[in-house]
Amino acid sequence: QVHLVESGGGLVQAGGSLRLSCAASGRTLSRYSMGWFRQAPGKEREFVGAINSRGDNTYPADSVKGRFRISRDNAKNTVYLQMNSLKVEDTAVYYCGTTEGWGPGVDDLGVYDHWGQGTQVTVST
């Protein structure tokens, strides 16, 4: 069983930056691809981006491409989401999740089987 804990959220002004972390315990993350999703109030959880198990391939959503970057440190059992040029519409609870595959469908919520509790990101004008 993998236990995931997200951290690093907070309140930031539009144009600012935050770095989220997703730390794992219970099992090494190196066997998993990792995804970041977000959920705004009243909306469905949406894909933000994913990184493969080795960390040499990432897949960002179009809405964050060029602004957000995913990385991982398997030695620290941690995955990161660097968020730059934040916009008000980026406001949401951000979640990380594990999946054992990579390729088409990695943006599908249904392929993820472990989730953290989420961390709130609020972007103000």
Side-chain angles (χ1 to χ4, degrees):
Q1 187 73 6
V2 178
H3 180 60
L4 303 174
V5 177
E6 300 94 338
S7 62
L11 174 64
V12 63
Q13 285 190 324
S17 298
L18 281 175
R19 188 176 82 154
L20 307 184
S21 299
C22 171
S25 61
R27 185 173 288 184
T28 178
L29 278 186
S30 61
R31 62 179 288 178
Y32 297 107
S33 297
M34 299 295 297
W36 284 96
F37 287 73
R38 65 187 181 187
Q39 189 165 18
K43 295 187 177 181
E44 295 185 350
R45 194 172 295 192
E46 67 170 356
F47 176 73
V48 174
I51 187 167
N52 68 345
S53 60
R54 295 186 304 274
D56 58 2
N57 199 352
T58 61
Y59 176 47
D62 287 343
S63 59
V64 305
K65 197 172 294 183
R67 300 189 298 122
F68 291 11
R69 186 175 69 88
I70 299 175
S71 61
R72 66 190 298 161
D73 186 339
N74 285 341
K76 294 183 178 180
N77 238 19
T78 302
V79 178
Y80 304 97
L81 179 65
Q82 178 67 44
M83 306 186 295
N84 300 322
S85 302
L86 281 161
K87 304 176 181 180
V88 171
E89 52 263 43
D90 294 319
T91 295
V93 178
Y94 284 70
Y95 301 88
C96 62
T98 64
T99 182
E100 296 198 17
W102 182 255
V106 75
D107 57 348
D108 183 350
L109 188 69
V111 307
Y112 291 83
D113 45 17
H114 298 101
W115 293 96
Q117 84 292 343
T119 185
Q120 175 71 47
V121 172
T122 302
V123 184
S124 65
T125 55

